[in-house]
Amino acid sequence: MSDQDILGRIQALVTEEHELREASGAGKAPDASRLKHLEESLDQCWDLLRQRRAKLESGENPNEASTRSVREVEGYKQ
């Protein structure tokens, strides 16, 4: 998966998240489980992209980066 593929996936997830949130503004409650899944998937994509960029900057192969588990990514301290 290339950086462009990851960015495309991020864009698709963000679009779906916005649509879900906008629909809830019309008096309809958003699907909480779907929103949570979208947010977790976005975090995983951003993490993978950061890994790839860090590997490239340090002279490593960015294709060796791998998607981390939701538990690991969501456990990061900010």
Side-chain angles (χ1 to χ4, degrees):
M1 184 177 272
S2 72
D3 288 2
Q4 289 304 86
D5 293 334
I6 298 168
L7 288 168
R9 176 80 175 128
I10 288 170
Q11 184 59 49
L13 291 167
V14 167
T15 298
E16 184 178 351
E17 179 186 23
H18 287 174
E19 289 170 355
L20 200 57
R21 290 185 189 281
E22 287 172 8
S24 70
K28 180 175 135 184
D31 180 348
S33 65
R34 183 63 188 153
L35 269 178
K36 183 177 188 302
H37 177 73
L38 288 170
E39 291 166 354
E40 291 169 344
S41 295
L42 278 166
D43 289 345
Q44 285 180 300
C45 286
W46 282 116
D47 177 68
L48 179 57
L49 189 60
R50 283 190 294 273
Q51 282 184 67
R52 288 180 55 80
R53 289 177 175 172
K55 285 187 176 292
L56 186 61
E57 287 177 15
S58 66
E60 296 178 47
N61 182 350
N63 293 325
E64 292 175 356
S66 61
T67 303
R68 294 180 175 135
S69 71
V70 169
R71 183 177 178 165
E72 185 175 0
V73 173
E74 294 300 313
Y76 293 152
K77 300 209 189 251
Q78 304 245 347

